[in-house]
Amino acid sequence: VAPPHAPPSRRSREDAAPPTCRLWCVYSEGVELSKLGELQRSIPWPTAAQDMPVGRTAQPAAFWDTLVPDRRLHGTISREHFRIRASAGQGSELHAAAFGLACTSLNGVLLNSKYVAQGETKPLQHGDVIAFTASEEPTGGMRKPFIVFSFEVIRAAPPPPPDAAECRSPRAASAQLGSAPSPSPSQPLPSPSRSPPPPPPPAGDVEPLPQAPPANTVAGRWRNAGAG
C-alpha cells in the first residue's frame, strides 16, 4: 500500500500562490473617493498577463468618467498613457517578477513626483505613486496632478492547510481515535446489573402486630392485655 502523501509545507503553498497587482486611486480632483467602490477606483492586473496597459481606451469608459469628470482633464489622458510590464526575475511566476513603467503618451506621467517622458521606462516597486498631470493654463505652464494611483503588489492568501484527519490513513485514524474491543465469541456477554433486594430487618426489631380487640369492646379504648 502506497504511503499517504505528506501535506505541502506552508512555504510551498505561499510560493504557489502568486500575488495580485493593482493600481489603487488615492487622489482624484473633485471626486470623493470614499464614496466609490473598489472596482470604481482600482485597475487590477489582468489574469495570466505579463503587462497591463493603462489609458482612456485600455479601461472601460465608465471608469475614467467616474474618476475624471472634468472633460478638459479627461482629454489629457491618452488612449494608452503608459504600460506596466513584468519581467521574469528568478522564476517565471509573477511573484518572482520585476516591474517597470513604460510611458507611451506625449503628455508624460509622474512617477514618485519625477517626470517620465514618452519612450522612457522606469523600474516600479510596491508603493510607488503614479500621477497624471495637466497644465492649469490652456497655453501651457506648470503641470498639476489631477489623478494619482498607488502601485500595490498584494500576495494572495495561501490556501488553508488540509485537515489533519484527511492526511492520516484509515488505520492510523482508527488507532488515533481508539475503538472499544469487541468481546470474544467464547466470552459470554455480561448480564445487565441489577441491584439486590434489601435484607430483611433483624428479628428483635420486628414490632408485634396488635391483637384483635375482644368482642363487645370499644376499639379506641382497648389496650393489650399486657399493658399496665
Side-chain angles (χ1 to χ4, degrees):
V1 179
H5 296 287
S9 63
R10 179 176 180 180
R11 184 178 183 85
S12 64
R13 290 196 304 269
E14 292 180 353
D15 293 343
T20 58
C21 306
R22 69 176 182 179
L23 289 177
W24 180 253
C25 184
V26 295
Y27 171 77
S28 181
E29 184 175 326
V31 178
E32 294 187 37
L33 296 177
S34 60
K35 295 183 178 181
L36 301 181
E38 181 176 352
L39 296 179
Q40 293 176 299
R41 58 183 294 188
S42 65
I43 304 176
W45 187 272
T47 305
Q50 292 298 319
D51 56 7
M52 180 175 70
V54 179
R56 197 173 64 249
T57 59
Q59 281 72 44
F63 176 81
W64 295 110
D65 291 342
T66 301
L67 291 179
V68 191
D70 189 327
R71 303 309 298 178
R72 184 184 67 87
L73 297 176
H74 193 281
T76 63
I77 302 176
S78 301
R79 289 190 295 270
E80 183 182 314
H81 207 97
F82 61 86
R83 183 177 289 263
I84 298 177
R85 294 169 178 160
S87 58
Q90 298 180 353
S92 58
E93 300 292 340
L94 188 61
H95 67 278
F99 298 95
L101 181 146
C103 182
T104 56
S105 173
L106 287 171
N107 294 328
V109 69
L110 290 183
L111 176 60
N112 298 327
S113 301
K114 295 182 178 179
Y115 183 74
V116 181
Q118 183 184 28
E120 291 184 333
T121 300
K122 299 295 182 179
L124 190 63
Q125 300 179 10
H126 171 75
D128 285 350
V129 177
I130 305 170
F132 292 81
T133 62
S135 176
E136 296 182 351
E137 300 296 333
T139 57
M142 184 176 180
R143 303 179 69 87
K144 175 185 176 182
F146 62 90
I147 182 170
V148 181
F149 290 92
S150 174
F151 179 67
E152 298 181 350
V153 180
I154 308 172
R155 177 172 292 278
D163 189 359
E166 296 177 2
C167 301
R168 296 196 301 263
S169 63
R171 180 177 299 178
S174 176
Q176 179 72 18
L177 297 176
S179 58
S182 58
S184 173
S186 59
Q187 298 177 353
L189 293 176
S191 58
S193 60
R194 297 180 180 176
S195 58
D205 296 339
V206 177
E207 297 181 359
L209 295 176
Q211 300 177 2
N216 300 323
T217 61
V218 180
R221 301 172 63 92
W222 173 80
R223 293 184 302 174
N224 292 336

